[in-house]
Structures are given as structure tokens and as C-alpha cells.
Amino acid sequence: MEVVSSAKQEFFVLIGVVGVVILLVGTIMYFVEYQIPDDRNEHFISILHGCWWAIVTITTVGYGDLYPRSTLGRLTGSFVVLFGIVVLAFPMTIIISKFQDSFTVKKLNANKEMTRKLREMAIAGYSCAGSSTSSPASTRVVNGKAHIPKQNKPPEPEDECQTRLVPKHSAQYAANIISPVALFK
């Protein structure tokens, strides 16, 4: 529902364009077909009948209750049928585009959150007290990337850092992650 509600403006424009086309084509068909002799005189007797025919033709329903009899009317009808195919396909392109945009935004937000968590874990894991690898002052963030000096020796097992649930090489992993925003440039 979020995707459809984000495309309200496009749908209103589409409905407006189709409404104008229905009125225009209905009027054209009335003036093209109203003089054609009919045994019961029930064929395109008003512009509203022409609009009804346009709606049925654009939606490709084709009841058969009204149909053009003149050559010019049939030619107009052919163009209306082709326009109807385009009108039926156009909303699908809008919906697909909005779904793709929504998916991209959600994926980007998930990547940002994962990157933020990994960086926090990396900085927390390498800046704890008593660690011989780095201090909070030596860990720095430049242009969104964590720069952590290489460790000379691994921390001792009894060290406070080992009791945390931080993967062994999470700081190097987090420091090398490409920012998700850079992927979409």
C-alpha cells in the first residue's frame, strides 16, 4: 500500500489524461458517425454514447453494442484501441518503478545500519582498557571509514576485550567496508 500511495500524483495525472481523451474521442466519434444511416437510429445518437464507446474501447472490453460503421470511424477506432493498450500498460510501469525505489531505499537503510553497527563493534573491541593494541585516541574515523592501527600482537585471553562478543577481525572488516552511499553514485 505504501508504494501505491506514493504514486498518487502519477495516478491522478493518468486519470485526468484518460478522462480528457475519452471526452475528445467520444466527441470525435459522435461527429464522424452521427450522420450514418441506421435502421433504428440508435447508433452514436449523442456525445455521451461516443464517450461510452470510448471507455469500452480504451479498456479493451468491446461489448459490441456500439461500433463505427464509416471508414473514418473505424480508423479512429483503431487508434483508440492502440491508445487503450498503452493506457493499460502505463500504470504497471509506475507501480514497478515505485516498488524498485522503495526496495532500494530499504536496502540502503539496512546497509547503513549494518555499517554503523560494525563500526561501533570495531571501535569498542579495540579501544577497551588494558588492551595493548590500541587506545581510544589512536582509533580515528576519517571520511566515514575507521582507521585502526595494525596490532603488534593479539590480546591476551584474560583480557577484557576477549569476553565481548566481537569477532576477531571485525575492526579490519569494518574499516574496509565501502559506504553504501558510494555504491549508488
Side-chain angles (χ1 to χ4, degrees):
M1 234 22 218
E2 171 187 329
V3 173
V4 175
S5 65
S6 70
K8 284 180 189 175
Q9 183 178 6
E10 289 89 348
F11 285 127
F12 285 134
V13 169
L14 178 67
I15 289 169
V17 167
V18 170
V20 168
V21 168
I22 286 172
L23 188 61
L24 181 68
V25 169
T27 305
I28 290 171
M29 285 305 290
Y30 169 72
F31 284 112
V32 168
E33 293 287 323
Y34 82 99
Q35 295 178 354
I36 304 297
D38 189 3
D39 51 346
R40 295 187 325 221
N41 207 11
E42 293 179 0
H43 221 64
F44 293 101
I45 57 175
S46 71
I47 292 177
L48 289 177
H49 281 86
C51 289
W52 166 252
W53 173 84
I55 291 170
V56 169
T57 305
I58 286 174
T59 59
T60 67
V61 173
Y63 287 125
D65 55 347
L66 292 176
Y67 53 91
R69 294 181 180 187
S70 68
T71 305
L72 185 59
R74 289 179 182 166
L75 185 62
T76 305
S78 299
F79 286 119
V80 173
V81 168
L82 293 176
F83 177 77
I85 293 170
V86 171
V87 166
L88 291 177
F90 189 64
M92 296 314 299
T93 60
I94 293 171
I95 292 171
I96 290 169
S97 172
K98 293 296 179 177
F99 266 115
Q100 184 177 7
D101 292 347
S102 176
F103 179 74
T104 302
V105 167
K106 286 183 181 183
K107 190 174 181 181
L108 181 64
N109 289 339
N111 284 344
K112 282 182 181 178
E113 182 65 21
M114 178 62 84
T115 303
R116 184 190 63 78
K117 286 181 180 179
L118 283 173
R119 286 183 180 151
E120 285 177 2
M121 288 172 47
I123 291 170
Y126 280 89
S127 64
C128 37
S131 174
S132 61
T133 59
S134 66
S135 66
S138 65
T139 302
R140 56 194 168 97
V141 177
V142 178
N143 293 333
K145 294 183 181 177
H147 294 280
I148 301 167
K150 295 187 184 210
Q151 64 185 40
N152 297 331
K153 65 177 193 172
E156 300 297 324
E158 60 272 2
D159 187 25
E160 173 186 339
C161 290
Q162 289 295 326
T163 60
R164 296 185 184 180
L165 296 175
V166 178
K168 184 176 181 182
H169 299 291
S170 64
Q172 284 117 1
Y173 179 71
N176 294 326
I177 289 180
I178 298 173
S179 172
V181 177
L183 294 175
F184 296 103
K185 286 185 178 181

